[in-house]
Amino acid sequence: MPELTPNARGKLAGKVALVTGGAGGLGSAICLALANEGASVVIGYHRSHAAAKTLAANLPTEGATHIALASPVTDSAALITLADEIDRRYGRLDMLVNCAGTTRFVPHPELDQLDDQLIDDILATNIRGPIAMVRAMKTLLQRHADGLVVNISSIAAKSAMGSNIAYCASKAALDNLTKSLARALAPRIRVVSVSPGLVDTEFVKRMDERWRGEQVTRTPLHRLCTPTEVAQAVIACATHFTFSTGSVFAVDGGRALT
């Protein structure tokens, strides 16, 4: 869990945000940043019920109410129930952050290790999931004519370098989805992607140390992205880039330059 800091009534006071995968290393940093800006945060989880409840109980709460709710992104019926519950509790949803994702490290040449089940799991979670989430939340997001969807993508979408080939393809599809949805849902809902380089989460810390070191060396700023920096980009999409839709914002330390 990220370190919690005192809340000040911020730029998102009165807003409600739903973060899928909200109990993970990256998702929890986004939830904290949203809460620090005054938003009420719905922490969407699949299996991490206890971690999501703990996070909800510890987020800053000046004028805001946080809750952990199940949001299995591959279960469309459950997402409709989730939308109804958010409507019942808050009467609105201003922001959806599609942060839930899955992958497994498979060297790109090892195609035999990229089994069908893994491919299906990646595409179902990383692509069908965001589509299903937007479909379920569309009516709520449209209610106040300034809804926002932020898809958490990856520079693997363009570099084709990532944990495995299917993962890279899923992020490329997610950026394309961002543009399609931005066109389809304008003007009442904006849709953007935040596209980090390698983020220094617990998942990444467990990877081969030499490989991680190579990624640092190949990044012009000579370090990995932090979860907080991704969260700050999400906040910027909500509070500063208010005339942007269909855009993909890189948070990569200049990795694309190498």
Side-chain angles (χ1 to χ4, degrees):
M1 181 187 301
E3 183 179 352
L4 300 178
T5 56
N7 182 39
R9 192 163 179 83
K11 295 179 180 178
L12 299 178
K15 303 286 189 180
V16 178
L18 165 62
V19 182
T20 68
L26 185 52
S28 58
I30 294 170
C31 289
L32 174 58
L34 290 165
N36 273 334
E37 285 295 339
S40 292
V41 182
V42 180
I43 303 163
Y45 68 87
H46 182 26
R47 299 184 182 90
S48 304
H49 179 214
K53 284 190 67 176
T54 299
L55 179 61
N58 286 280
L59 289 176
T61 57
E62 184 179 323
T65 304
H66 313 300
I67 189 170
L69 293 176
S71 61
V73 299
T74 58
D75 185 342
S76 293
L79 299 184
I80 293 172
T81 300
L82 172 63
D84 290 342
E85 182 65 10
I86 293 171
D87 193 12
R88 185 183 71 81
R89 289 177 178 267
Y90 296 100
R92 65 187 298 149
L93 180 65
D94 303 279
M95 186 172 176
L96 165 64
V97 182
N98 283 314
C99 188
T102 191
T103 191
R104 189 178 78 212
F105 188 79
V106 177
H108 286 209
E110 304 297 331
L111 295 182
D112 290 342
Q113 294 184 34
L114 194 67
D115 57 87
D116 288 349
Q117 187 60 58
L118 177 59
I119 295 170
D120 289 348
D121 289 346
I122 289 171
L123 296 181
T125 301
N126 297 3
I127 294 300
R128 180 159 61 85
I131 295 172
M133 284 299 310
V134 173
R135 184 175 59 201
M137 303 299 155
K138 175 183 172 184
T139 299
L140 274 175
L141 288 166
Q142 287 178 327
R143 184 167 291 173
H144 293 91
D146 60 351
L148 172 64
V149 176
V150 181
N151 293 321
I152 304 301
S153 184
S154 167
I155 61 170
K158 291 186 176 180
S159 70
M161 294 185 293
S163 52
N164 62 62
I165 287 175
Y167 173 81
C168 294
S170 74
K171 293 303 184 179
L174 185 61
D175 283 353
N176 186 278
L177 176 66
T178 292
K179 296 178 184 298
S180 295
L181 285 173
R183 185 183 302 110
L185 300 179
R188 299 181 70 85
I189 301 173
R190 295 188 299 115
V191 186
V192 298
S193 279
V194 168
S195 182
L198 191 64
V199 183
D200 203 16
T201 61
E202 290 303 317
F203 173 79
V204 171
K205 285 180 170 65
R206 292 194 298 269
M207 292 183 175
D208 180 75
E209 186 174 348
R210 185 174 64 177
W211 179 83
R212 289 177 69 250
E214 289 174 355
Q215 310 317 306
V216 170
T217 300
R218 295 175 64 182
T219 301
L221 294 188
H222 283 188
R223 63 179 178 83
L224 301 183
C225 181
T226 69
T228 297
E229 287 170 320
V230 178
Q232 289 171 342
V234 172
I235 297 300
C237 291
T239 61
H240 288 79
F241 303 138
T242 55
F243 198 58
S244 296
T245 194
S247 303
V248 179
F249 296 103
V251 188
D252 64 358
R255 180 60 187 269
L257 303 175
T258 63

